[in-house]
Amino acid sequence: MFLLRLRTLFCLYSLAVGSIQTSESFWKLKPNVLVVDVDVKGVNRVEVPVICGEAYEGHNITWTKNKDKHLEAQGNRITVTVEGWKGANYSCFDNEGSYLNHTLVLAQWSFRKIIRNTPEKGYIHCATNNYGGFFQCSWSWGENRHGHITHIEAIRPDGGSNISCSLDPGGKSITCLDQDYCPYAEELERINLTVYFRSSFVVESYNAKFYIMNIVKPDMVAISRINHTCVEVGYPDSWNTPSSYFPLIFQVKEIRCRKRKKCDCSQLSSIETYRTQSLQLPVSKGKMVCVRAKDEFCNSSWSEWSQYKCKKNRKQRKPKSHARLIKREITVTAQCGAQGSAIPSISTDFQDHSKITTLMN
């Protein structure tokens, strides 16, 4: 019986010792911040060595946990045990009680709780409005967990880029600049962005990899009226120049003002849509013109829709008592200002670039 109890105690001791992991289970995130990798499937106890500072070797050093709990361990170097995701802030003091330094120990798990995942954008969405090297990344906070950014890493694998990031006002996005980015050179390596979010003593990391050329989304284009049958669109002021090297392609659609109020309406079956490179577009009276743009050569995003409402000619308006819905064939001019010149039907197959119809030269 005694041997059986002894064997049982030995087994329990072995399990307890086995659950305490070594220094391979934690790593340094940045100065004064250590991260412990949490094993959510089982018991997780990690012994973490903490140092007050090389200059305090041999001094009489005392420690506190989370500023209020005094630890029995003393000296410049101590070992703390982190259980589960119960991280803490360990501060050290001299023999007179003066603050010297601290080490923040955080627990990282595989859950995703601090920010939300969206169907189209994922956890982190990055975009830019030109090829200047700037880009912005945004996210949405989780409903049940308040967090903030504790660290940002943005690099290219070749190490040839100097990328700096800063937190925007409001804490829901960051703005970064690749100071070595050249818009006239081929972009060979993707940007590897990692953002660390902290909630209490838990940290979660989120990653995004992308080329700048794939996250470009131009600003809205400007639309101005030339005459009753033509409008002119212009490149956004924020877009790169010259336009011959950074060309945009436009998507245009006409909507009857009395039926549709927004350019992003979902019912497109009765709306004529086409693509063109021309800056001057023929339009019909009584319709709303919607235009958006994207980089012609890259598979990036369209800009938001710009709209221009074409006013009807009131002199031609009939009394309401005699108003009738007349079906007629609508013709548009091939050149702005020309009259009665019908153009061929416009292809709406946008998958093949060769099928894109250019309305005007």
Side-chain angles (χ1 to χ4, degrees), residues 334-354:
Q335 298 290 338
C336 291
Q339 300 294 330
S341 175
I343 64 172
S345 60
I346 301 169
S347 172
T348 58
D349 186 358
F350 301 151
Q351 301 300 322
D352 188 351
H353 186 75
S354 63

Side-chain angles (χ1 to χ4, degrees), residues 79-286:
T79 299
V80 298
T81 302
V82 179
E83 296 185 16
W85 45 82
K86 298 179 181 179
N89 187 15
Y90 298 91
S91 301
C92 56
F93 304 83
D94 60 15
N95 55 359
E96 297 180 354
S98 298
Y99 168 81
L100 299 177
N101 202 354
H102 77 279
T103 298
L104 179 63
V105 181
L106 304 176
Q108 178 176 245
W109 55 12
S110 58
F111 297 130
R112 292 290 184 265
K113 299 289 186 179
I114 299 179
I115 64 175
R116 294 201 306 258
N117 184 23
T118 57
E120 297 180 355
K121 297 181 178 181
Y123 286 102
I124 297 180
H125 174 69
C126 299
T128 180
N129 60 358
N130 58 34
Y131 291 99
F134 282 95
F135 59 91
Q136 187 179 58
C137 300
S138 58
W139 57 86
S140 299
W141 293 109
E143 297 179 356
N144 301 322
R145 207 174 272 276
H146 175 73
H148 62 274
I149 288 181
T150 187
H151 189 57
I152 304 171
E153 292 180 355
I155 61 172
R156 293 187 191 266
D158 59 2
S161 293
N162 181 16
I163 305 176
S164 58
C165 299
S166 61
L167 183 64
D168 298 332
K172 295 183 178 180
S173 62
I174 57 174
T175 298
C176 302
L177 171 62
D178 186 348
Q179 302 182 35
D180 296 332
Y181 175 75
C182 178
Y184 303 100
E186 184 179 0
E187 193 174 8
L188 300 177
E189 299 287 349
R190 292 186 297 177
I191 293 176
N192 189 347
L193 174 70
T194 305
V195 184
Y196 295 87
F197 295 89
R198 176 189 168 189
S199 177
S200 184
F201 293 107
V202 172
V203 63
E204 296 174 3
S205 62
Y206 298 84
N207 181 263
K209 296 181 180 180
F210 53 86
Y211 295 100
I212 287 183
M213 62 182 176
N214 291 141
I215 64 170
V216 170
K217 180 180 180 180
D219 287 332
M220 297 173 62
V221 301
I223 307 178
S224 58
R225 177 178 176 179
I226 296 180
N227 52 43
H228 294 293
T229 60
C230 187
V231 295
E232 185 175 41
V233 298
Y235 278 48
D237 294 336
S238 59
W239 192 247
N240 298 76
T241 56
S243 58
S244 58
Y245 192 84
F246 301 97
L248 293 174
I249 189 169
F250 302 97
Q251 186 177 29
V252 187
K253 61 181 178 182
E254 289 186 346
I255 304 174
R256 290 189 182 275
C257 295
R258 64 181 182 180
K259 292 184 178 181
R260 299 286 184 263
K261 298 294 184 181
K262 297 181 180 180
C263 291
D264 56 354
C265 59
S266 58
Q267 299 178 1
L268 300 176
S269 58
S270 61
I271 302 173
E272 186 177 28
T273 307
Y274 58 88
R275 292 188 184 185
T276 179
Q277 292 175 316
S278 176
L279 298 180
Q280 294 184 345
L281 309 173
V283 296
S284 303
K285 294 179 181 179

Side-chain angles (χ1 to χ4, degrees), residues 21-32:
Q21 302 180 24
T22 62
S23 60
E24 296 179 355
S25 300
F26 71 91
W27 45 278
K28 183 178 180 180
L29 177 61
K30 60 181 182 179
N32 297 90

